[in-house]
Amino acid sequence: MISLAGITGSRPALIGVVVAMIALLGIPAFHNGYIEIVFRNILMYAALSYGWNVLGGYTGYVSFGQVAFFGIGTYCSAVLSSHGITNIGAGIALAILVNAVVAIVLGIPILRLRGHYFGIATLGVALAIQDLAANIDALGGTSGLALKQFDESQFFWYYYAMWAVAAACLLVTWLVARSKLGYAFVAIRENEDAAVVLGVSPTRYKVIAWAIAGAMAGAAGAVFAPANGFIDPSIAFEVDNNVFPIVMTLLGGIGTVAGPFVGALILAGVNEILQRFFVKIHTLFFGAMIVLVVMFLPRGIVALIGMRGGWRGFRRSLGAYRV
Amino acid sequence: MEFAQDVINGILAGGILAVAALGFSLVWGIMNIINLAHGAFIMLGAYCAFELFTRFHIDPFISVPIAFALLFVLGYLIQRFVINYVVRAPVLTTFLLTFGLSLLIVNIALLIWTGDTRGVSPSYVGANFSIGPLTVSWAKLWTLIVALAITGFMALWLGRSRMGRAIRATAIDVGAAQLAGVRVAHVYAVTFGLGTGLAGAAGALLSLSYGINPTMGDPFLIKSFVVCVLGGLGSVQGALIGGLVYGIVEGLAPLIHVTLWGQDLSGSGLQNVIALAVLLFVLIVRPTGIMGRATA
Amino acid sequence: MNFRRIAVFAALAFIAVFIAPAAPAPAAQDTILFGSPVSLTGALTKEGHLTQEGYEFWKSYVNSHGGIKVGGKTYKVDIKYYDDESKNETSAQLAERLIDQDHVNFILGPYGSGTAFTVAAIAERKKIPMVEGNGAAEKIFSQGFRYTFGVLSPAKRYLEGIVELGREKGAKTVAISAASDAFSLEVAKGAADYATAHGMTVVYNNKYPNDATDVSGVVTAIKAANPDIILNAGHLQDALLIHKALKEQSVSAKAYGYSVGPDTPDFVGALGKDANDVFGGAQWSDAVKYKADHPGFYDNAKDYAVAFEKVYHHRPDYHNAESSATCLAFEYAIEKAGSLDPDKVRDALAALDVTTFYGILKFDSRGLNVYKPMVVNQIQNGTLVTVFPTGLAEKKPIYPAPPWGSR
């Protein structure tokens, strides 16, 4: 039984996220390029996670191909840059437009597939688009494209642009969750066939969900590209950018509004800290951490924040998925 | 002539892909677990073959059942004591767990064996025979035969043996299976163990042609994904057919040449695009894969 | 136990650990701090470690021989490393961390062309000199970067020596296969251009995906083209796959050349006898006959190799040597500049012209070392020997290679 409040997720977590976002506005004041990069990446991962969450969390269609849209977004900015247009807003707008079109065109055949098959098809799309980018000389082929960057004194604009993208993703997710659109998505997730009977046209809504997901990922990519200064197929379609949003959303709390952000913050944060203290084996600890968190907090961290019953409630929750 | 040779190469390559994908398909189809650590288990199987060959001069083909056994035990223990905590959770939860596991396993392997690439070089590697103008590699042919044997054996075992039937029953309805006396925790562990064992066997077979290092399993994980879906989840014959089809498509890809917007494109650099096109085509025509049954 | 409070605390603790700049390292007075993002994990682990070995070997030599003289003072050397997991953007981020957080004076390059490119972009923006020895793609040097220098010969030269060697022995046709990454493609193009410019015919020139698990199709096509020389520009994994496939399909050529592979002991280890007579293009080998014209390090390749092997228990390969040479470039430039000021050191690097155990260290206007030749090594009876150019060779090349059936 879905309580309507359950669609947006835990209220305290949501408030926490908004507070955190406001706090993050202050990062450029530290004038430390490294810290700016760290938090800019967290915001980027948050945006990617929100994108995945709309399709995977709310609509229930697990996509392994979000990185395709991210990559397309980076190339949009890169192509504009090579024609002299370095306005970040232009890059974002183009990325959203192109990705929406791609999502609609690809969505119609691919969204007919269900469950696992849909997932693999999206993976295939991501791989294929990466291959195409690597083979088309006009897009730089495997050598990629360099982008004109702002100078050091103007560099913080990239941070704010990414913040704006992440904030927009958060807002859109919240609005969608409370709107008819959100209910339609959840209806499809819970029982697609019943939804059809009740008059919800699944293809239309699934395509909308995918377009939103693609737009979010693309916008993040459009800001990432000039901030990084250079993209090639391996950077634009980096496997991590495919897997991390899923991991982050799951850890944070899937199908909630606060989840993706919390997951991005925690995962990226822990990764940074591990890197600092365990230069050689940080990946090993990272893997161990994920294993432990999933074993003991399968419903995500946001669920932990909303959990009642203290320690005993926690212990009881451990048995939920065992056999 | 090139065409025929390419087809043969493709079939030979497809055999290994089939064995690699078989374990993945079983675990996914029966337990609804997407095992992202599958590539890591393949890698462990390859290292088994390497150690056995270097230390005890055991031929890689003989290592196959040994690697299978070792990896089976490992998989059983991992399922029973780690994955079991969340085995009934939504598929994504286990997805996440196996992601963490794969990081763990790869990095532990890195510590044990370092990043050096190893290989096994028994004397018969490269030996081949000719049928007219076509050449067939002995090692690859035997690999295909072993792959067929493994697939056939698995199909029979799952169909006829008691444990096989228990596994299939659990896949269909856990509650009913329990009522019928099936020890579900044990069955799940056996199934997962089979998955990792098959991965280990595939790894041992791979050691003959592929360099061995901690990250070698990644491309095989992705291909296992595609092969499984192509052939139909949870179907043993499906994994075999999917593997062969995929192998043939990859083998024929270099023959394709297109000119697009003034640029010459050769199929050999576009293998993924071609594979996707084939996959999408199959899924549109048969949405549950070539041999798949519609599953809930 | 109120989980909410715990969560809030944890979140605050997090942000705090983050923002607190890393405890100011006891930046010992009189120490020059270098920073280097290297691939300690990920696909390029092995090469990343070789790079680190090369840097560390130089560091201990310098520190035990009095350090670097800057102006009137002597400075010790320290190097801070981070693991870029073989990923391009991670390398760039780590470079920023090294510069902004750890306050390094200079950057020692990572392993690989992709990573070197992204780090070079950062070095340029922050105006901190960077020298690298492990990224040979020319695109790094065609962006107009002023702060990046590469001590190694450019990618396109990797296989030229093998083509030239074949040409001198009468070979007429060449087949080239390449992996789909920027470096390999540059290597392939360089070889193809060289062959065509010198009157040979390129009968096959195609690429395959980076993560290819089976290259039989490539080999079948090469067989049909029947070339004298078979070249591959790729990575160790591909080199192994291709060489095994060549034998499996009985494709015999007069010479086989790989851009990566023959120089690593793993190649011989994995192929056994089949590795014999294979050529590899290398930036350096311990048989080259350069004599350093500047004191402060090993005089020649042999001395370097012997000392290196004592510490690391393996023969140094060219990744080790070029990494040590990278540090040498900095050492000599800093001494010449007489200061640690980034721009002064940068100018000294641009004007550098010195011969070392590794070869000549001199950069053209783009920062690329076009003055150092590549060597060609060949595996003879399981050992790697230098066979070309004749002036630097220790043995004669074996050509043509015996056909597969008769090995």
Side-chain angles (χ1 to χ4, degrees), chain A residues 232, chain C residues 37-39 44 47-48 51 55 84 86-88 91 109-120 130 132-137 139-141 152 158 181-183 235 319 322-323:
Chain A
D232 66 14
Chain C
V38 269
S39 30
L44 302 171
E47 294 86 344
T51 308
Y55 291 158
D84 68 13
S86 312
K87 294 190 196 137
N88 295 347
S91 223
Y111 177 83
S113 293
T115 42
F117 188 101
T118 46
V119 175
M130 160 174 139
E132 58 104 0
N134 288 287
K139 75 169 180 218
I140 302 176
F141 300 96
L152 67 180
Y158 266 70
D181 66 273
F183 168 75
H235 303 281
H319 299 104
E322 60 199 10
S323 306

Side-chain angles (χ1 to χ4, degrees), chain B residues 9 116 125 128 208 211 268, chain C residues 46 207 220 237 244 247-248:
Chain B
N9 290 338
D116 293 356
V125 166
N128 56 53
L208 286 169
S268 66
Chain C
K46 172 83 190 278
K207 62 185 178 184
T220 312
Q237 192 68 273
K244 288 195 182 183
K247 180 173 178 195
E248 278 172 4

